[in-house]
Amino acid sequence: MQKANLALGLLLGSGLLACSSPRSAAPSRSAVIEAIKHTPDPSPAAPIPLYKTEYQAPTAYQVPPLAPYAGPKKPLKNIILMIGDGMGPTQVTGGLIANQGKLFMQQAQATGFSITHNQYGKITDSAASATAMATGHKTYNGAISIDSLGHEFRSIMWDAREHGKSTGLVVACELPDATLACFAVTHPDRNQPEAIAAKYLDAPIDFMYAGGLKFFTQRQDHVNLLKQWEEKGYQIVTSPAAVPPITGPKAVALLADAGPSAVAGRTAAYMNLGVDKALEVLSKNKQGFFLMIEGSQIDDAGHFNNTTQNVQEVLDFDQQVGKAFRFAAANGETLVIVTADHETGGYSIIEGSISERKVVAKFATNKHSAVMVPVFAYGNGSELFTGMYENTDIYYRIKKALGWDEQKMP
């Protein structure tokens, strides 16, 4: 608005709005837009650090062509649902530019858009959106797979369990955090991590890889939940060095007291270790598995209005997408769905150079936005994920792909 007012001022000063009679026409839309284009942006109250507005990738990783599975038709056995928290279309574009025009997400065999509003038609948070994808139900912001009347919704992970499948969560945040909690437990308030943590003891999840150790060992009730997990037959590890020896079938890896650091600190090794081990352990089940992977800190970067972190987190997430796509291409019995819970930051790219791997961007807000988010699907059943649909449909389309009974989509 400020820029538009400046543009109108320029038009007045240039005489474009001068008139010889009260009936003279207002300037055309084109004239106003051209004036806006040539109006300098108003100076911010304080200088914005360069890393928040610009990022230039030092190198680009390779995205080799992926040959789709070409063997005999197989029934769908495995689901890998990948959620880039806060990843809207522009976040994907930023990653594309920084990696010289190539992302693994481009190799999707089907694309669509997910509409993310909550139960009341308002901008969603992670809890409400993850509830929609995990249970097929819209709800209020802050709700972990429950509605305002206290009705608890059944996560698709319970269905996977009942069909004999193993289940897993691999994330770059605390285990009680909203998105993944919706696949594991029910709770009325996402902001009660210790209460949510205690409910994980009865969750239908076999393999967990995250941060948030303190919510299980440094609790106000002085209960050490790790011991209770061990009594249930889980292997427990709290350091990266202890992850490779995990054999499963049940394991919990909590590698940070709070959330893991941003990608610049944790490096690509963090997600590589978790995803590799999850695929190794869960693949031992001949009935298949359901694995949810979250690129958790794309959202953080949006809230912090940090372009550098935003691009780095998208690229870190995309490399795990490539791993999941390769897994699906190799066996022909896996469906990979890549999407987001919402967009964060009202992100826009105002300059970009693919050849220089450089992104210059702005944020409209430090909150979530109403922007639709992309859906990329690869593998067995991917054709079901084209179009524009509510985020609840991701739940129903997965169930349709698996041949499970409940259906809502047309």
Side-chain angles (χ1 to χ4, degrees):
M1 181 62 71
Q2 186 175 357
K3 192 168 182 179
N5 289 339
L6 286 171
L8 287 172
L10 284 178
L11 288 169
L12 284 165
S14 67
L16 287 176
L17 287 186
C19 52
S20 57
S21 74
R23 299 193 178 198
S24 294
S28 69
R29 176 178 176 274
S30 297
V32 173
I33 290 174
E34 282 304 309
I36 290 174
K37 287 180 182 178
H38 294 92
T39 303
D41 289 331
S43 299
I48 299 174
L50 196 62
Y51 72 87
K52 286 201 164 193
T53 61
E54 295 186 12
Y55 176 70
Q56 186 168 18
T59 60
Y61 56 82
Q62 295 298 307
V63 182
L66 181 61
Y69 175 77
K73 176 72 174 176
K74 296 180 181 180
L76 177 59
K77 189 167 79 171
N78 308 312
I79 299 291
I80 303 176
L81 175 60
M82 306 187 70
I83 299 173
D85 196 326
M87 186 184 74
T90 311
Q91 281 81 357
V92 176
T93 306
L96 186 77
I97 293 169
N99 204 51
Q100 290 191 317
K102 296 286 186 180
L103 289 178
F104 287 108
M105 283 182 255
Q106 288 174 277
Q107 298 180 339
Q109 294 173 313
T111 59
F113 278 101
S114 171
I115 303 166
T116 66
H117 63 83
N118 69 12
Q119 175 185 2
Y120 302 105
K122 297 182 180 294
I123 293 174
T124 191
D125 77 338
S126 293
S129 186
T131 295
M133 291 185 280
T135 73
H137 293 273
K138 298 271 191 182
T139 190
Y140 62 91
N141 287 355
I144 305 293
S145 294
I146 197 170
D147 70 10
S148 57
L149 298 177
H151 299 137
E152 297 181 346
F153 303 133
R154 175 187 170 95
S155 162
I156 198 167
M157 293 297 195
W158 284 108
D159 297 298
R161 267 277 180 90
E162 286 192 356
H163 284 82
K165 298 185 185 299
S166 295
T167 56
L169 302 170
V170 175
V171 301
C173 62
E174 298 96 336
L175 192 59
D177 203 56
T179 303
L180 55 157
C182 293
F183 288 84
V185 304
T186 62
H187 198 72
D189 184 358
R190 63 175 290 181
N191 296 309
Q192 297 175 340
E194 287 195 4
I196 293 168
K199 291 185 175 183
Y200 266 92
L201 294 170
D202 298 315
I205 311 297
D206 299 306
F207 180 89
M208 290 162 267
Y209 181 95
L213 177 63
K214 66 180 182 180
F215 300 117
F216 298 86
T217 60
Q218 302 170 38
R219 299 169 52 80
Q220 292 183 6
D221 59 13
H222 306 293
V223 175
N224 187 332
L225 298 181
L226 300 190
K227 292 181 179 179
Q228 295 186 38
W229 253 327
E230 286 179 332
E231 292 170 359
K232 291 175 175 283
Y234 282 83
Q235 292 176 262
I236 308 296
V237 303
T238 57
S239 71
V243 173
I246 290 175
T247 57
K250 294 184 177 183
V252 179
L254 298 175
L255 305 187
D257 271 345
S261 63
V263 69
R266 70 177 188 266
T267 76
Y270 173 87
M271 290 301 285
N272 281 332
L273 184 63
V275 173
D276 288 347
K277 181 53 67 172
L279 292 175
E280 174 196 324
V281 169
L282 299 178
S283 293
K284 294 178 180 179
N285 186 342
K286 296 186 184 301
Q287 300 301 313
F289 63 81
F290 194 121
L291 172 63
M292 195 283 280
I293 300 169
E294 186 190 38
S296 312
Q297 296 191 42
I298 303 168
D299 178 64
D300 296 15
H303 286 301
F304 300 148
N305 287 181
N306 185 330
T307 293
T308 294
Q309 185 187 357
N310 208 307
V311 177
Q312 289 175 335
E313 296 287 350
V314 169
L315 295 180
D316 185 57
F317 180 66
D318 181 64
Q319 291 176 75
Q320 301 312 314
V321 170
K323 187 175 295 180
F325 282 4
R326 288 192 296 273
F327 183 88
N331 61 48
E333 52 192 11
T334 301
L335 169 62
V336 182
I337 307 104
V338 182
T339 188
D341 47 359
H342 52 73
E343 193 275 343
T344 303
Y347 192 53
S348 62
I349 295 173
I350 56 174
E351 284 185 48
S353 171
I354 287 176
S355 62
E356 297 177 7
R357 303 181 301 280
K358 184 176 181 180
V359 175
V360 181
K362 284 187 174 183
F363 294 86
T365 179
N366 59 7
K367 300 178 177 64
H368 300 168
S369 77
V371 172
M372 288 185 290
V373 297
V375 181
F376 306 108
Y378 187 94
N380 191 331
S382 59
E383 68 279 358
L384 294 174
F385 290 84
T386 60
M388 185 187 300
Y389 40 84
E390 297 288 339
N391 52 4
T392 48
D393 257 20
I394 291 173
Y395 167 88
Y396 291 106
R397 290 174 191 233
I398 290 173
K399 296 191 83 169
K400 181 174 183 179
L402 287 162
W404 296 348
D405 291 339
E406 188 177 7
Q407 295 182 8
K408 189 177 180 180
M409 61 174 286

